[in-house]
Each structure stands twice: as structure tokens, then as C-alpha cells.
Amino acid sequence: MVEVEHLRKSFGDLEVLKDVSFHVAASEVLAVIGPSGSGKSTMLRALAHLEEIDGGSIRIGGETLAKDGRYASSAKLKGITARMGMVFQHFNLFPHLTVRGNLELAPKLVKGLAAADIRAKASELLEKVGLSDKAEVYPSNLSGGQKQRVAIARALMMSPEILLFDEPTSALDPELTGEVLQVMKQLAEERMTMIVVTHEMGFAREVADRVMFMADGEIIESGRPEQLFGAPQHERTRSFLQRVL
């Protein structure tokens, strides 16, 4: 579903991504871990075309988003990025819209579906994330965990094939983290293809099919959770895990 080859990205003189290559299969959950500033979020944003890359290639579901640093046409880009949904660290909900309004806005603007169908899907997804009773509430009246569950439901409204999560629980109090991770775990059980940048080692260990450790803009090592957490091959990985576990 996702093929990344030799991805490079710099901000001025700072090289943030250095020759990053990895693949994600359909229905696979990839957890990306590593210290702050290692390039994890930039890599994720590059997949969603929220950051322009300087070099390398990205293919999504067999379609070329970028090849050798050159992007597809804007029409093709739009179609490819529509296959992905993204959930951000700070929710990014529209404060002037109700929960239902947040869910229904993009499908109305982009997909041209019947209003009744959009409303039915919004109700179904709010039930899925346990927020049916919050449909007419504004984001300012929600907890952080509720906001993030709304953000997940909003991403699912566009029927994405891939979900990208950028540290979805790092802005939450610890007691609210569990309710968001439970929704993500359910999506994983339903075989949604997911790339999750996270500091939640328990989630990475329990839910991910594969864990990728990044540091200093590079992939240091990647493997199944039991291998990477139980017997890391690289000293950099070992020292990171000793600090966070």
C-alpha cells in the first residue's frame, strides 16, 4: 500500500530525512518510534503531501505520488492523497462547527454525496468511536480524548484506504489516552492499513505488526515488535528503549 524509496527532506541546512526507504503492506499496522526531532512527523507529512520532499519516490496503492523528487500532476496528487486520512497531534477540529459539522464538511465539499447518506455515515462513525451523544456539541465542550476520537471519525468519513496518525495521544492527559488507543486498536483489528508515529510503547508492542525506529532522520532498524523490543540489534535502539521503557 505504501512504498517509500530514498526519501530526502531538508529545512535549510538541516537534513531532516536522509535516504529513508520502507514499505507497508495492505492491512499492516506500522508503528514509528524514536526520539523527538528524528524526522518521524516530517516523514508522515511527506506521505500526505503536507511537506514537499527534496528527493526520493513515494507510491500509494500502486500510484506514484512522487518519483525522484518530482510530483505527479495536481489532479493526480489530489486523487492519491484522498486515499489517505490523517489524524494530527492537536486534533485540528473546526471550533465553529459542531461535532457532526466537522464530520460532514469534507464529504459535502469533496464527494458530492447525498446529504442523507453523509448524515447516516456520520452517525455510524460517531457510534463507532463512542460519541453518539456528542453530535451537536462544539469542540470547546469536549475533552481532549473526545476531540481526538472525533478527529479519527472525521478521517474515516472519507473512506480512506490508509490512516496516518501523527502522535495522536501526545497532547492528552494519561487517563484520556486509553480511550483513543482503544479506537485505534479496533481499527487495527478491522485490518485498516495504518502508520502510527507514537510515543506509546505499549501500543506499538501490542497492536503493531511492525515497529520502525528512527533517529537523526534515518531508519535505524525495523522489525516485529517482539524482535525490536525484545532483542534490538542496534545500540542506538537499545539506548532509546532503556530510556523509555
Side-chain angles (χ1 to χ4, degrees):
M1 283 297 282
V2 179
E3 301 166 80
V4 174
E5 303 286 351
H6 309 299
L7 201 63
R8 290 186 294 104
K9 173 69 181 177
S10 296
F11 294 111
D13 295 333
L14 180 63
E15 198 177 9
V16 182
L17 296 174
K18 308 169 187 172
D19 197 23
V20 168
S21 298
F22 66 94
H23 293 190
V24 181
S27 301
E28 188 176 19
V29 178
L30 174 69
V32 186
I33 64 171
S36 296
S38 58
K40 307 183 300 294
S41 292
T42 301
M43 178 274 293
L44 205 65
R45 290 173 64 83
L47 293 183
H49 194 228
L50 297 172
E51 295 284 1
E52 298 249 329
I53 60 172
D54 298 322
S57 302
I58 302 170
R59 286 170 64 79
I60 304 294
E63 292 189 281
T64 300
L65 184 84
K67 184 172 175 60
D68 300 328
R70 289 191 299 275
Y71 283 93
S73 67
S74 57
K76 194 168 183 194
L77 276 179
K78 197 173 176 183
I80 296 170
T81 54
R83 301 175 69 176
M84 294 177 277
M86 187 152 180
V87 178
F88 299 89
Q89 181 178 345
H90 293 292
F91 328 127
N92 292 15
L93 299 178
F94 295 110
H96 64 291
L97 295 177
T98 62
V99 165
R100 183 183 293 283
N102 267 278
L103 265 64
E104 293 182 357
L105 181 65
K108 282 177 182 170
L109 292 176
V110 177
K111 293 215 163 182
L113 300 174
D117 292 341
I118 294 172
R119 178 154 285 236
K121 182 158 190 178
S123 297
E124 175 192 325
L125 287 172
L126 286 175
E127 185 173 348
K128 184 186 188 79
V129 300
L131 292 171
S132 293
D133 59 332
K134 303 294 184 187
E136 307 310 326
V137 168
Y138 286 89
S140 59
N141 294 315
L142 299 176
S143 71
Q146 289 169 333
K147 287 177 187 173
Q148 196 59 293
R149 284 186 282 154
V150 171
I152 294 171
R154 181 175 65 176
L156 291 170
M157 282 294 291
M158 300 298 283
S159 303
E161 298 164 46
I162 303 162
L163 273 183
L164 310 175
F165 291 87
D166 188 9
E167 300 189 6
T169 60
S170 62
L172 302 179
D173 295 332
E175 66 268 24
L176 300 176
T177 294
E179 65 191 51
V180 174
L181 293 178
Q182 188 55 45
V183 172
M184 294 168 65
K185 187 176 177 183
Q186 182 186 342
L187 291 170
E189 289 167 355
E190 293 168 3
R191 310 303 291 154
M192 170 65 78
T193 307
M194 294 158 60
I195 303 177
V196 185
V197 171
T198 185
H199 291 298
E200 296 292 334
M201 298 301 139
F203 175 86
R205 181 179 252 158
E206 182 188 352
V207 180
D209 298 298
R210 197 155 42 92
V211 181
M212 189 165 86
F213 173 65
M214 289 183 71
D216 301 319
E218 298 177 287
I219 298 170
I220 305 299
E221 77 177 277
S222 175
R224 293 196 60 77
E226 58 271 23
Q227 180 267 308
L228 193 128
F229 287 106
Q233 302 298 300
H234 198 283
E235 173 54 36
R236 189 76 205 270
T237 317
R238 285 196 288 273
S239 65
F240 172 79
L241 291 174
Q242 281 166 3
R243 287 199 308 276
V244 299
L245 291 178

